[in-house]
Amino acid sequence: MPKGIWIFVEQYNGQIRKVSLELLSQGRKIADQSGEPLIAVIAGEGIRDLAGQAASYGADQVYLMDSPELKQYTTGAYTSALNKLIKDNDPVAFLLGHTALTKDLAPRLAQRLGVGLASDVVDMETDPEKFLVFKRPVYTGSAYSFVGTTTRPVLATIRPKSFVPSEPDTSRQAEVVDAAVSVDPADLKTIIKDIAIAVSSRPALTEADFIVSGGRGMKAPENFKILEELADIVGGAVGASRAAVDSGWIDNKFQVGQTGSMVAPTLYIACGISGAIQHLAGMGSSKFIVAINKDPDANIFNVADYGIVGDLFEVVPLLTQEFKKLVNE
């Protein structure tokens, strides 16, 4: 019989991604409701120290896939190793965060396992027949569908910031299992020679609680400096619309939207962004949305909690001054 709710705990440079902590916390609730154990899977090299953190967020058992072959993510190695681990242990569900890595990994796992995949999930609940039913956005976020799979394991990717991580319980213990890593040589079609890392003091877009984004109204690449100043005051991130990216004003890694990053910060400030449906699909889950635009009929105001009709080059510096006062109080 299948056993356990398994969470793929994604780590990078020895740090667990926040979405994985969110998943562990929500997985703990589902495990308690279903009577299944919660099992974390961590892959990489030199990752033993992460087992305690996974336990503190609810894991009953932690499988460590510690191998030089898994030090850096490659599609073939991770798919091969996880496919065998899952087939050998037959979990009820295998859940992953919806990240750049897992958008590559999860569909390949689904194909190898011969199961369905629910992707970009924003909520889930237990179900007597399908075990889990998932809520996911469709039609660029203008509607939601509820889906379940009859195949096992239940496989799904969960959008970051869909759940609030619990407070870690450092007294909690979990059984740590050193999982045998088996990689089919035929799957090793990629060899990583070098990695160039762009270093930034700002948080990743998908994990930021504060994001200030610029669109076509920014007019020029140098004008993004005023957004950077505002973001840095509160430890936030800078984003952009596709129009700004396509104009060459800012790198595409900053793009928010259906073809960029899907974000859900506590506060999202849209500066000079008209509100194309693709952009709204990427930031519509933000808790509070502030829009700054000279056009009172801009579509962005239809989703904004607060709207400012005005010149962003006058409004943003004023907001920056006010945020500085709040931070210094």
Side-chain angles (χ1 to χ4, degrees):
M1 290 291 290
K3 185 178 181 182
I5 299 168
W6 291 45
I7 305 294
F8 177 67
V9 177
E10 186 178 339
Q11 61 84 24
Y12 182 70
N13 283 345
Q15 299 290 322
I16 293 178
R17 296 286 300 271
K18 187 177 179 181
V19 64
S20 296
L21 302 180
E22 296 164 4
L23 264 181
L24 284 168
S25 301
Q26 187 65 17
R28 180 70 264 161
K29 296 176 183 178
I30 294 173
D32 291 339
Q33 293 171 3
S34 63
E36 294 283 347
L38 181 67
I39 299 172
V41 179
I42 311 176
E45 185 180 32
I47 53 175
R48 184 165 295 275
D49 290 345
L50 300 181
Q53 188 178 6
S56 70
Y57 280 88
D60 297 309
Q61 196 174 50
V62 180
Y63 274 71
L64 294 179
M65 304 184 74
D66 197 326
S67 169
E69 294 175 306
L70 304 178
K71 181 178 181 179
Q72 302 293 346
Y73 173 77
T74 62
T75 302
Y78 270 61
T79 300
S80 185
L82 287 170
N83 175 57
K84 188 175 189 309
L85 181 71
I86 293 170
K87 284 184 174 178
D88 288 348
N89 292 276
D90 208 16
V92 178
F94 192 82
L95 307 177
L96 312 89
H98 190 71
T99 66
L101 185 153
T102 59
K103 282 189 280 187
D104 178 68
L105 174 64
R108 288 170 168 81
L109 273 180
Q111 187 275 329
R112 291 284 184 94
L113 296 167
V115 301
L117 170 65
S119 63
D120 197 20
V121 169
V122 296
D123 199 4
M124 55 184 171
E125 59 183 31
T126 56
D127 180 86
E129 294 183 0
K130 298 180 175 65
F131 185 68
L132 287 172
V133 170
F134 302 102
K135 178 182 178 182
R136 56 185 307 275
V138 294
Y139 304 120
T140 60
S142 59
Y144 292 95
S145 66
F146 293 84
V147 300
T149 64
T150 56
T151 52
R152 294 292 181 272
V154 175
L155 191 65
T157 62
I158 317 299
R159 183 183 294 188
K161 308 204 82 169
S162 294
F163 303 106
V164 178
S166 60
E167 289 296 321
D169 180 359
T170 55
S171 67
R172 186 180 179 87
Q173 300 293 313
E175 178 188 3
V176 179
V177 179
D178 289 305
V181 177
S182 178
V183 177
D184 187 341
D187 287 323
L188 297 178
K189 299 176 181 178
T190 303
I191 298 175
I192 296 178
K193 294 292 187 180
D194 192 21
I195 296 177
I197 301 175
V199 178
S200 174
S201 59
R202 301 187 189 107
L205 271 174
T206 54
E207 297 185 359
D209 286 323
F210 178 101
I211 297 174
V212 54
S213 284
R216 197 186 304 276
M218 297 305 298
K219 297 183 180 179
E222 59 270 19
N223 292 331
F224 273 84
K225 290 180 181 178
I226 66 171
L227 305 189
E228 293 170 357
E229 183 180 358
L230 176 55
D232 289 343
I233 289 172
V234 293
V238 172
S241 70
R242 180 170 179 172
V245 171
D246 287 349
S247 297
W249 298 341
I250 192 168
D251 192 88
N252 61 9
K253 68 182 179 182
F254 296 100
Q255 184 176 327
V256 173
Q258 192 175 23
T259 53
S261 295
M262 311 293 282
V263 301
T266 301
L267 177 60
Y268 187 89
I269 302 180
C271 305
I273 294 175
S274 61
I277 189 66
Q278 292 85 356
H279 187 80
L280 300 186
M283 44 67 76
S285 297
S286 305
K287 188 172 182 181
F288 296 105
I289 299 170
V290 175
I292 304 169
N293 202 298
K294 290 195 295 185
D295 179 6
D297 297 319
N299 192 47
I300 191 71
F301 289 123
N302 293 325
V303 299
D305 297 287
Y306 302 94
I308 302 174
V309 178
D311 187 339
L312 71 89
F313 297 107
E314 296 176 0
V315 175
V316 172
L318 292 175
L319 285 177
T320 301
Q321 292 177 21
E322 292 302 316
F323 272 103
K324 281 182 179 177
K325 292 178 184 177
L326 291 172
V327 170
N328 293 330
E329 284 182 357

